[in-house]
Amino acid sequence: MRVWITLALACVLGSSAFAADTLRPSLLLTARPPAQDLSGRWTYSKDLYRTGLTDINGWPAKPRMERFRDVDVATAEAQGGVGFFEYDLDRGPTMELPGAWNSAVPELRYFDGLMWFQRRFDAVRPQPGQRSFLRFEAVNYRAMVFLNGKEVGRHEGGFTPFVVEVTQALRETGNRLVVGVDSKHDAQTIPGEITDWDLYGGITRPVKLIQAPATFIDDATLRLSDGGHLVGSLQLNGPQSAGQTVSLRIAALGLTLRSRTDASGEARFDTPAPAALKRWSPESPALYDVDFEAGPDRVRDRIGFRTIAVRGSEILLNGQPVFLRGISIHEEEIGPNPARRIDDVAARRLLNEVKEGLHGNYVRLSHYPHSEAMLRAADELGLLVWSEIPVYWTVDWDSPAVLDKARRMQAETIYRDRNRAAIALWSIGNETPVTEARTRFHTALAQTVRALDASRLVSAALLVERNGDTVRIADPLLPQLDVIAVNTYAGWYGDDTLDTVRRLRWDVPVDKPLLFSEFGADAVAGLRDPTVRRKFSEDYQADYYRATLAMAANVPTLRGLSPWVLKDFRSPRREHPVYQNGWNRKGLISETGQRKLAFDVLAEHYRGMQR
């Protein structure tokens, strides 16, 4: 079982000569029998100078500083002697996990560095022959995992799940789980050092202990093909993976299929879709319980079946043209002190603002893979989803190692979410500056997406060129995209008046659908200025939306909108002491859920499109 996920990629940056299977992560399915949830109070220890890893002059860390050791510090101290300790995670301060440390106590608001977390637990006793795994849904940004003093795994990437096997390290009682979390970003990380959103350090999504048979279902998927067949696969992991009989069942459709795994442990399914199958759509988000079985192991998932495609400048859902009426969202729950603690309740509160409040059918989940709770809620509510990895602004385009990381993040996202009917678009980047190296990088990502999941559309949020009142899209990445998407802020950034915005003309390709993936203006909830209508007032933001929507109505290939953004969100870049104070105020609702005037402007626009 891999604890580091390694990629067998070509040496030449941008080459697509790789095997998609090398990107397959392990045990990302959550639809398994109940696991042991390790959420709750964890102790922690700050380590800004990284003394738990290295001593002065680059020497190895001293034992007295190594937080991951399986030592009862208080007992050792009581015995006396020449040794001493400069940590004690058993007696350290505590915080509730999952959740970002930035919101736990005021002193950690802008902490950026290494933090050690500890959870003591007794394990559910595994049955003979079972294997034990720890599944982390997200740790931001680097994670080092130790169980009972033994390093069991590492992971890089703040928004995707990873699994480490702990069969040999697990005890029945008194387990000491220690996770070193390093939130530092640099030129080699994804994203880089500077963003316009809060990076939030810590264990931000649940951690679970999973018991599985020696040979278990590691991956299972089912979808509706363009030809009207249900096609899927099941992957076994373990010593008895090959030559096993496996099955899937959809009781509501009276459908049972059987198959046999090949030498690699994979089985495939392919059958005409039953006549009774109801296709998933925003108007009717039909989902089915799908049971996968292999020997003693069983996995149940709720899956919707639909097709998504492009035809010329149209986006087709189940063969019919669809306009994406949406909004962008950051992964922050509604409330004055968000901690990126998204459960089903928090996800539905956000998404219901889109579905019911705005009359939307679509959401852009920006700028990174969101919690699985958000994706499952979108499935249930009937919202199409744009999902993206955080290749944002600038990364090291010439680095094969950075491309490896981006490909791995794509794989971890796609394998986790490819059973979600809601997902329509995989995005490979946001507002990246055009260079030859950048275009090679993105081309490689587009090829990776298609190798892993050819059933969805590929897009990216691009920058545009401006010549007077004419806006052009001339990005060399266009041939790699199924759907063109652009971010436009005329009327907010720059010197344009809102009258100028209404006059803008778009010179865009006519053979592909276009999305306005972002547009927006800041407003402080409750700040009214009906006379001057100055920026940061609700009145200006509402006028901005009216002008931009009027301009958008004249773009013949426009097939969707995801304005920026549903809710005000934290951003350390935004420090105006009156209007911002560390918040980006482009939300249509405030951080506490107060709707602004522009919310009703967009809602009425979308309501009119439903008629």
Side-chain angles (χ1 to χ4, degrees), residues 11 50 64 218 307 338 369 376 421 454 459 478 564 567 575:
C11 295
R50 301 171 188 275
R64 67 175 184 267
D218 202 17
T307 60
R376 290 187 177 275
S459 190
L478 290 182
W564 195 256
K567 183 188 77 70
E575 286 299 326

Side-chain angles (χ1 to χ4, degrees), residues 541-561:
Q541 186 188 46
D543 287 346
Y544 169 92
Y545 266 76
R546 293 185 185 101
T548 304
L549 291 171
M551 175 266 291
N554 295 321
V555 183
T557 60
L558 188 69
R559 298 295 179 262
L561 304 170

Side-chain angles (χ1 to χ4, degrees), residues 466 468-471 489-506 532-533 535 540 542-552 554:
R466 176 87 176 269
D469 288 347
T470 300
V471 182
Y489 285 95
W492 180 252
Y493 300 117
D495 299 325
D496 291 311
T497 66
L498 295 184
D499 286 337
T500 303
V501 172
R502 291 182 175 90
R503 296 196 305 267
L504 290 179
R505 187 177 69 84
W506 287 76
V532 177
R533 308 182 92 80
K535 288 188 174 180
Y540 184 87
D543 287 346
Y544 169 92
Y545 266 76
R546 293 185 185 101
T548 304
L549 291 171
M551 175 266 291
N554 295 321

